[in-house]
Amino acid sequence: MPTQLTETNRVNANENKSPLIQVKDLRKYFSIDHHQLKAVDGLTLDIFPGETVGLVGESGCGKSTAGRTIIRLYEPTDGEVLYNGRNIYSYKQREMAKIRREIQMIFQDPYASLNPRMTVEEIIGEPFAIHRTLSGKKKKERIKELLKLVGLNPDHMSRFPHEFSGGQRQRIGIARALALDPKFIVCDEPISALDVSIQAQVVNLLKELQNKMGLTYLFIAHDLSMVKYISDRILVMYLGKMVELTDSSSLYDDPLHPYTQALLSAVPIPDPEINRERIVLKGDVPSPIAPPSGCVFRTRCPVAMEICSKVEPKWQEVKPGHFTACHLYEI
Ligand code: SF4
């Protein structure tokens, strides 16, 4: 049986707040050719109002599936997600439609996620039509406001997505996600498809919008380079499992898990005085259909021990607010 996660993962700054989102032992398995693919295997996480939690891992680690299951684009195999204290999986269709206004997603590829045959006005206006909230002149005014909010020219609302650059298209996607005044947004690798020079602009825009609108984000990324600048806390996943969770500074200054250490060693440091040794991981990520026994990272871990193939490491708080699952830290 997988380890039951009972520890709370809140950090001191959040101690007096109630979480907006509580993910409890969430599992999402897919059936493929009579096998089970364990995309998410026991995710437990509180996300507090106004907070950004970064969710990081290589492709295939389950982070996007986790994001989609948390907002119920996928039904879970097991577990709960509480939004304002209520399990969203218990909502009937009509109730869920109301919650959908408050929970939104920004997608990785702004071009693929925007209908090329629709104008910007139609794209951003679609949520108002689906949820029947605004129409006519009021809708048009709100679309203009949203375009200004994301730094686009409202006079361009009759243009089509292909008439914009990649960064501008992502801004259109953000405006669409903001249309219904959401509280919580899953940002699914929103900067991965953009040029490096544009990535910082989009991250800054998301931060600005968070401050203005009090938004809460789950920010999914495949590496640790940009995620530090937006995240209050960062959760690292490997093969469907949580491996480390703490605030951003602790993760960068004192990573505990060997996988996090390897991911961090690949992040360039702008200071030529600091020379960090690159840890190159052996082999590919194993198939989640047949994950390794014991610790799922053991086949690539440079410091694996005998126990690692036999016993799954426990998720535990090694330092205040700093959690990891690794036998090196078990007491
Ligand atoms: Fe490496 Fe063992 Fe820790 Fe897994 S439990 S990360 S294999 S040392």
Side-chain angles (χ1 to χ4, degrees), residues 96-264:
M96 196 60 216
K98 275 191 206 155
I99 296 296
R100 290 238 172 272
R101 294 183 201 171
E102 297 178 18
I103 298 179
Q104 292 288 326
M105 188 150 186
I106 297 169
F107 295 91
Q108 175 180 6
D109 183 344
Y111 198 61
S113 63
L114 304 177
N115 187 334
R117 287 184 209 90
M118 286 167 84
T119 63
V120 168
E121 180 178 355
E122 288 166 336
I123 290 169
I124 301 175
E126 204 179 24
F128 302 123
I130 293 171
H131 293 272
R132 295 190 200 144
T133 50
L134 288 181
S135 58
K137 215 173 152 197
K138 281 192 178 158
K139 182 168 96 172
K140 205 163 191 133
E141 284 310 310
R142 181 68 181 138
I143 294 168
K144 282 185 184 169
E145 261 175 43
L146 285 162
L147 284 168
K148 276 193 223 156
L149 193 64
V150 299
L152 291 174
N153 185 344
D155 295 338
H156 295 167
M157 64 200 276
S158 53
R159 294 187 180 180
F160 290 88
H162 73 265
E163 296 178 76
F164 294 87
S165 68
Q168 287 172 327
R169 285 198 291 261
Q170 192 53 291
R171 286 172 192 261
I172 298 167
I174 294 170
R176 190 184 195 280
L178 295 177
L180 300 169
D181 278 327
K183 305 262 185 302
F184 175 60
I185 303 184
V186 171
C187 309
D188 188 7
E189 300 214 41
I191 54 170
S192 306
L194 304 177
D195 289 348
V196 176
S197 58
I198 309 294
Q199 289 185 350
Q201 290 176 16
V202 173
V203 164
N204 286 337
L205 172 66
L206 288 169
K207 276 175 116 172
E208 253 176 62
L209 294 169
Q210 182 171 46
N211 292 337
K212 267 189 204 156
M213 302 174 71
L215 297 165
T216 304
Y217 294 140
L218 179 67
F219 189 94
I220 298 172
H222 64 266
D223 65 38
L224 282 164
S225 52
M226 196 55 85
V227 83
K228 178 182 184 184
Y229 300 104
I230 190 156
S231 306
D232 299 296
R233 287 183 299 147
I234 296 175
L235 170 63
V236 181
M237 277 181 80
Y238 185 81
L239 222 59
K241 301 267 186 195
M242 300 164 70
V243 301
E244 187 159 0
L245 170 71
T246 187
D247 62 276
S248 304
S249 328
S250 304
L251 194 92
Y252 279 75
D253 298 343
D254 184 22
L256 299 177
H257 197 280
Y259 179 57
T260 313
Q261 290 166 358
L263 284 183
L264 261 181

Side-chain angles (χ1 to χ4, degrees), residues 257-259 295-299 301-305 308 313 325-328:
H257 197 280
Y259 179 57
C295 171
V296 288
F297 184 56
R298 70 168 168 86
T299 51
C301 179
V303 290
M305 304 169 285
C308 303
C326 173
H327 288 304
L328 290 172

Side-chain angles (χ1 to χ4, degrees), residues 69-80:
T69 314
I70 288 170
I71 62 169
R72 208 179 169 185
L73 290 183
Y74 296 150
E75 292 296 321
T77 303
D78 203 1
E80 291 183 345

